Amino acid sequence: MAFTHKTPSIKLSDGTSIPQLGFGTFQVPPADAVETVGAALEVGFRHIDTAQGYQNEAEVGEAIANSGIARDEIYVTSKLTNSKHAREDVMRSFDETLEKLRLDRLDLFLIHWPLPTKYDGDFVSTWKAMLELVEDGRLTSAGVSNFEPAHLTKIIEETGATPVVNQIEAHPFFRNDVARRASHEQAIAVEAWGPLAKGEALSDPVVKAIAAETDRAASQVVLRWHVQRGDIIFPKSMHRERMAENLAIFDFELSDDQIARIDALDKGDEGRQGPNPNTFDKV
Ligand SMILES: NC(=O)c1ccc[n+]([C@@H]2O[C@H](COP(=O)([O-])OP(=O)(O)OC[C@H]3O[C@@H](n4cnc5c(N)ncnc54)[C@H](OP(=O)(O)O)[C@@H]3O)[C@@H](O)[C@H]2O)c1
């Protein structure tokens, strides 16, 4: 895949590549999504993260179609929603996802949540259905989201197939190093969701001090911290100037000391903003 902008790519275990920085679309309302995703593409993003549950796949598809950008220059991810874990529902809902996105092939599809207390704890069958989609040729790469170490071990041991990414909550207040380490041990790339801690990291005094030291915006400091950790990120913004700011993070570096000061903001599990995947059961 040839990318025409400065965002570096990360090589995944199946040999494909993903732009390290993309655009997130959680809570981008459908009524605004054509314009907002269109702006993100105009500003230069070439990787869009959506989900069946975000209710905006059709608008994301419209924005991509309107952009005129070649298909192989845009990386698109969607996620299987919690009510569709049964095999037939995986198949049917994936067809709907492709139709809404106006694509004949999706780059990456993730199981959104493992739901270990639902479906008799059987997320392995769901994972097998995801692998069928890859076999089928209409899905390039299969991955997971919000998988804790035990969930990763289970699907890998029972199928022999490793997800290419694990998309997990991670930001300065919740580094989530346990799930990150378990992912890396299996050569699974980490995608950090909520990279700005929903914007809350931007008013942290340590982040603000480093922003002043580097003459950068607080958002750029936090996103740069993620990039230097090697994670894949897709900050969301409804504002074009913020999108441009979030994209411009590949021309400066944080020092080891600055990285360590941001690392020290970690509050462990208390820093989570989202639910704990071991108990989350909303279907
Ligand atoms: N797999 C999962 O379970 C899961 C869960 C949550 C999120 N995600 C994915 O991860 C993506 C990112 O996470 P997120 O959207 O939850 O949170 P986020 O990207 O950490 O933060 C978004 C918030 O930060 C603000 N913001 C963005 N850029 C800014 C800037 N330069 N200056 C000041 N404020 C800025 C946004 O405000 P404005 O919009 O008003 O600019 C918004 O309130 C999502 O969109 C979604 O694709 C996945």
Side-chain angles (χ1 to χ4, degrees), residues 27-264:
Q27 293 173 332
V28 175
D32 301 318
V34 175
E35 195 186 331
T36 301
V37 175
L41 293 169
E42 274 173 28
V43 163
F45 286 97
R46 291 293 181 273
H47 163 186
I48 308 291
D49 184 89
T50 183
Q52 293 175 344
Y54 299 170
Q55 308 286 332
N56 58 21
E57 286 176 310
E59 291 75 14
V60 169
E62 190 176 335
I64 292 172
N66 290 347
S67 75
I69 298 166
R71 173 67 187 92
D72 69 354
E73 289 189 8
I74 301 186
Y75 193 99
V76 186
T77 299
S78 191
K79 313 184 195 82
L80 178 76
T81 210
N82 291 348
S83 58
K84 306 289 184 191
H85 275 212
R87 182 190 170 279
E88 289 312 312
D89 291 334
V90 175
M91 299 301 159
R92 236 191 318 267
S93 73
F94 181 76
D95 286 343
E96 286 167 16
T97 283
L98 281 186
E99 200 176 315
K100 287 179 182 166
L101 288 168
R102 306 188 195 186
L103 301 177
D104 52 16
R105 176 188 61 79
L106 187 66
D107 296 289
L108 178 63
F109 197 43
L110 312 178
I111 301 179
H112 206 147
W113 290 88
L115 305 174
T117 65
K118 292 283 171 184
Y119 300 99
D120 295 324
D122 180 18
F123 46 81
V124 175
S125 297
T126 311
W127 177 237
K128 286 181 180 161
M130 303 284 284
L131 298 174
E132 274 188 59
L133 294 171
V134 178
E135 282 285 301
D136 187 40
R138 290 176 312 146
L139 173 62
T140 302
S141 302
V144 295
S145 177
N146 299 302
F147 271 46
E148 291 292 306
H151 308 140
L152 293 175
T153 304
K154 191 168 163 77
I155 57 170
I156 296 167
E157 280 186 1
E158 295 193 25
T159 67
T162 306
V164 295
V165 308
N166 188 14
Q167 182 178 128
I168 52 177
E169 179 177 353
H171 45 74
F173 304 140
F174 179 54
R175 290 188 347 215
N176 206 349
D177 284 340
V178 174
R180 283 181 83 247
R181 206 172 304 119
S183 302
H184 290 155
E185 279 167 7
Q186 303 282 357
I188 299 168
V190 171
E191 297 191 329
W193 69 248
L196 300 171
K198 313 262 180 210
E200 285 176 26
L202 308 184
S203 51
D204 181 89
V206 171
V207 170
K208 283 167 76 175
I210 297 173
E213 287 163 27
T214 53
D215 199 19
R216 289 284 172 157
S219 63
Q220 294 176 318
V221 167
V222 175
L223 297 174
R224 184 68 211 177
W225 172 80
H226 285 282
V227 163
Q228 288 183 219
R229 299 177 100 203
D231 288 355
I232 299 158
I233 44 171
F234 21 81
K236 167 259 179 189
S237 176
M238 302 296 292
H239 300 92
R240 184 184 284 259
E241 64 284 1
R242 290 179 175 179
M243 295 174 193
E245 187 171 88
N246 295 347
L247 197 61
I249 57 169
F250 296 105
D251 58 348
F252 79 111
E253 246 180 28
L254 299 175
S255 67
D256 290 348
D257 170 67
Q258 289 165 335
I259 294 280
R261 282 154 63 204
I262 300 174
D263 279 349

